[in-house]
Amino acid sequence: MEEKRHMVGGISRKTLERLPVYHHYLEQKGKEKAETISAPSMAADLKLNEVQVRKDLAMVTKTGGKPKMGYLIRELIRDIEEFLGFHNTNQAVLVGAGSLGKALLTYKGFEQYGVEIVMAFDSDGRKVNTKIGGKLIFPFVKLENLCQRMNIHIGIITVPAYAAQEACDHLVAAGVKAIWNFAPIHLSVPDHVLVQNENMAVSLSALSKYLYEAEKEGR
Amino acid sequence: MEEKRHMVGGISRKTLERLPVYHHYLEQKGKEKAETISAPSMAADLKLNEVQVRKDLAMVTKTGGKPKMGYLIRELIRDIEEFLGFHNTNQAVLVGAGSLGKALLTYKGFEQYGVEIVMAFDSDGRKVNTKIGGKLIFPFVKLENLCQRMNIHIGIITVPAYAAQEACDHLVAAGVKAIWNFAPIHLSVPDHVLVQNENMAVSLSALSKYLYEAEKEGR
DNA sequence: TAGATTGTTAATCGATTAACAATC
DNA sequence: TAGATTGTTAATCGATTAACAATC
């Protein structure tokens, strides 16, 4: 049975990308003492189409909204969190304790999204056995063995591009099911492994292109 | 005249996202002594559709490919770089010298994509006047004045979510035209300013959701 | 009741893919 | 020539938006 590339668990990737945006927005609103929210006001604030907002919410909410009243904020937050699986935390390992890896190891916000980095790997002997953000750095050669034994499901790749495929292969061999890739390179993985690319080069290119166009058009 | 949201300089955002991927791939191939490349082989390696590759390349290349031979790698690289405006470097400032900000300040790969970070701002007095990655940290209150005087076009936001909109407002007031936002929050900006969100929460949510589904389905 | 809002069905729009003629 | 490959036109597919009935 072939799985559609753009679908994850029955909803479109586009919707999936908007859910965390809604989640963050609703948490903000919740702090401001608001109890309910309407799709048109959410859409206006987030610059989205109101029907799109309603359809997205319909994918996750059990009780739905009430005409003239909108949705209950607390309920929506809970529904989104359950839908996205925030509450069943997955353990992750990080490969490559360079500056970006260090930033991710010290970042506090991941657990909110159901991901906990439990350790890191690096081939630089000077980093091995030190701690960053409270997480111990192990030698790269122990990656496969340790990940397998600890039944780790998520690998985060922050090594340079030339080392990324090798890191990826070891993670896959260890049984990792999802890879969060920060190296600007296309990774080859078996079909059952999800690769989520965080490609900064893409964003930069888009910015650069936009400014290039803006200049040409004399804006 | 209204500009289509999903178009940047006449090409679709999807194509724009793939161009840096092609660029990196072609540079790899170029190093391996290859001189030409065909759309089918690129498509196979990058797991894309071959017609899509051809169409994307047709958007940027002047001379096109030759039947039976494919495209000249060096030429494609040059065309993509010119199209994306890699060669006219834009100066950028970074706001928020925390762990992520530090990672970006020390990262070497940006200039390749036409973006040079020239300085950073932080409201923490202990960081002010120190250097990270060779770039000087200025007090946050000087942001608007300095950016305006130096005619900076790109702002990179790596402050916490609660401080992001304020940082954004100052950047916009200083005349910045494009913002690269790492805070997990929707920024309100005037229409002429481009916001490029690097939302790690979105990626994490997708990973988390994928694993959640995989478990449910017993994979 | 009137008006705001929801949820759904139908129309539109854009991006992807298939089909195919042209060409080296 | 035969076969690989390009480039383009047409068909398909999915996501967005418009229209509208239902409801509080």
Side-chain angles (χ1 to χ4, degrees), chain B residues 13-50:
Chain B
R13 183 161 282 270
K14 292 298 190 100
T15 297
L16 191 55
E17 283 177 8
R18 286 189 294 265
L19 288 175
V21 177
Y22 298 146
H23 182 261
H24 185 268
Y25 172 83
L26 292 166
E27 287 206 312
Q28 292 290 109
K29 280 286 162 189
K31 279 180 202 154
E32 297 167 9
K33 82 184 180 304
E35 302 236 318
T36 61
I37 188 94
S38 73
S41 64
M42 278 183 73
D45 288 343
L46 298 172
K47 292 190 183 163
L48 296 170
N49 180 287
E50 69 171 81

Side-chain angles (χ1 to χ4, degrees), chain A residues 28-93:
Chain A
Q28 293 289 111
K29 280 285 161 189
K31 280 180 200 152
E32 297 167 9
K33 82 183 181 305
E35 303 236 317
T36 61
I37 188 94
S38 72
S41 64
M42 277 184 74
D45 288 343
L46 296 173
K47 293 191 182 161
L48 296 171
N49 180 286
E50 71 172 79
V51 181
Q52 188 167 67
V53 172
R54 249 182 250 121
K55 282 199 166 174
D56 287 341
L57 296 182
M59 298 295 302
V60 301
T61 184
K62 291 182 184 67
T63 51
K66 292 247 186 334
K68 205 168 177 181
M69 177 179 141
Y71 304 80
L72 288 170
I73 291 177
R74 292 260 20 110
E75 209 162 79
L76 273 189
I77 292 176
R78 193 163 33 72
D79 288 342
I80 292 175
E81 289 181 352
E82 184 176 339
F83 187 84
L84 292 177
F86 279 8
H87 299 309
N88 51 337
T89 299
N90 286 290
Q91 295 192 322
V93 298

Side-chain angles (χ1 to χ4, degrees), chain B residues 31 47 77 114 121 157 166 176 190 194 198 205 209 215 218:
Chain B
K31 279 180 202 154
K47 292 190 183 163
I77 292 177
F121 296 91
I157 294 183
E166 193 194 349
V176 154
L194 175 77
E198 199 71 51
S205 300
K209 175 66 182 166
E215 260 163 51

Side-chain angles (χ1 to χ4, degrees), chain A residues 20 24 47 83-85 88 99 103 106 110 113 115 154 180 184 189 192 198 201 203-205 208-212, chain B residues 20 24 47 83-85 88 99 103 106 110 113 115 154 180 184 189 192 198 201 203-205 208-212:
Chain A
H24 185 267
K47 293 191 182 161
F83 187 84
L84 292 177
N88 51 337
S99 59
T106 45
F110 292 156
Y113 294 98
V115 175
I154 298 180
W180 195 15
V189 293
H192 65 277
E198 199 72 52
S203 295
L204 272 181
S205 299
S208 191
K209 175 67 183 167
Y210 175 80
L211 291 170
Y212 184 56
Chain B
H24 185 268
K47 292 190 183 163
F83 187 84
L84 291 176
N88 51 337
S99 59
T106 45
F110 292 157
Y113 295 98
V115 174
I154 299 181
W180 195 16
V189 293
H192 65 277
E198 199 71 51
S203 295
L204 271 180
S205 300
S208 192
K209 175 66 182 166
Y210 175 80
L211 290 171
Y212 184 55

Side-chain angles (χ1 to χ4, degrees), chain B:
Chain B
M1 206 191 314
E2 207 216 329
E3 193 180 2
K4 301 241 174 75
R5 185 76 62 79
H6 54 280
M7 300 285 274
V8 176
I11 66 160
S12 82
R13 183 161 282 270
K14 292 298 190 100
T15 297
L16 191 55
E17 283 177 8
R18 286 189 294 265
L19 288 175
V21 177
Y22 298 146
H23 182 261
H24 185 268
Y25 172 83
L26 292 166
E27 287 206 312
Q28 292 290 109
K29 280 286 162 189
K31 279 180 202 154
E32 297 167 9
K33 82 184 180 304
E35 302 236 318
T36 61
I37 188 94
S38 73
S41 64
M42 278 183 73
D45 288 343
L46 298 172
K47 292 190 183 163
L48 296 170
N49 180 287
E50 69 171 81
V51 181
Q52 189 168 66
V53 172
R54 251 182 248 122
K55 282 200 166 171
D56 287 341
L57 296 182
M59 298 294 303
V60 301
T61 184
K62 290 181 185 71
T63 51
K66 291 247 188 332
K68 204 167 176 183
M69 177 177 139
Y71 303 81
L72 288 170
I73 291 177
R74 292 258 21 106
E75 209 163 77
L76 272 188
I77 292 177
R78 193 163 34 70
D79 288 342
I80 292 175
E81 290 181 351
E82 184 177 338
F83 187 84
L84 291 176
F86 279 8
H87 299 309
N88 51 337
T89 300
N90 286 289
Q91 294 192 323
V93 299
L94 183 144
V95 193
S99 59
L100 182 59
K102 208 180 281 184
L104 299 183
L105 286 169
T106 45
Y107 184 60
K108 305 292 176 210
F110 292 157
E111 283 165 43
Q112 188 197 343
Y113 295 98
V115 174
E116 181 202 5
I117 303 178
V118 292
M119 55 190 174
F121 296 91
D122 201 292
S123 50
D124 182 346
R126 287 165 299 179
K127 286 175 185 159
V128 168
N129 283 326
T130 64
K131 275 190 174 182
I132 297 176
K135 278 92 180 192
L136 201 53
I137 317 292
F138 291 93
F140 182 70
V141 291
K142 293 210 174 159
L143 190 159
E144 205 170 315
N145 186 279
L146 264 175
C147 288
Q148 198 155 38
R149 280 195 351 225
M150 292 187 64
N151 195 30
I152 299 291
H153 288 172
I154 299 181
I156 304 173
I157 294 183
T158 50
V159 299
Y162 66 84
Q165 185 62 55
E166 193 194 349
C168 174
D169 292 343
H170 285 291
L171 286 168
V172 170
V176 154
K177 291 171 188 165
I179 288 174
W180 195 16
N181 175 40
F182 285 80
I185 189 177
H186 174 86
L187 295 174
S188 298
V189 293
D191 278 346
H192 65 277
V193 175
L194 175 77
V195 174
Q196 182 79 31
N197 291 301
E198 199 71 51
N199 195 339
M200 310 217 172
V202 166
S203 295
L204 271 180
S205 300
L207 283 188
S208 192
K209 175 66 182 166
Y210 175 80
L211 290 171
Y212 184 55
E213 289 300 316
E215 260 163 51
K216 267 201 314 198
E217 289 167 27
R219 272 183 268 176

